[in-house]
Amino acid sequence: MPRISDFQTKEVVNVENGKRLGHIGDLDVNLSSGKIENLIIPGAGRVLGLFGRDNDVVVPWSNIVRIGADVILVRFYNDPDAPVREKE
């Protein structure tokens, strides 16, 4: 059974455009079912991190295409209505 730390070392790549989304920073887990619902990828930093960072990218678990040894392939559409997690 994989551990959360195993997921965090893998890079997430969008199969729609080949863009690297980054590494998983967090997972949304449904506590009643114990299932992972979303992958949370921290937003990119702005200007050496001095001006904050972008909102986190939320990828639903159902959008995972394949989990490989080094990467996680996801189908992520750059939709302005897609869920994002506000920076903290």
Side-chain angles (χ1 to χ4, degrees), residues 73-86:
L73 300 177
V74 299
R75 184 162 278 114
F76 181 75
Y77 305 100
N78 196 3
D79 180 1
D81 295 328
V84 293
R85 190 169 81 175
E86 297 294 324

Side-chain angles (χ1 to χ4, degrees), residues 61-76:
W61 183 260
S62 60
N63 287 20
I64 294 176
V65 175
R66 184 96 165 155
I67 299 175
D70 298 325
V71 298
I72 298 174
L73 300 177
V74 299
R75 184 162 278 114
F76 181 75

Side-chain angles (χ1 to χ4, degrees), residues 12-26:
V12 181
V13 176
N14 186 358
V15 296
E16 292 298 315
N17 58 12
K19 183 179 175 185
R20 295 177 179 172
L21 299 176
H23 292 274
I24 297 172
D26 202 359

Side-chain angles (χ1 to χ4, degrees), residues 22-41:
H23 292 274
I24 297 172
D26 202 359
L27 300 171
D28 279 339
V29 178
N30 182 325
L31 296 178
S32 60
S33 68
K35 294 183 179 182
I36 298 172
E37 292 186 349
N38 297 305
L39 306 177
I40 310 296
I41 302 165

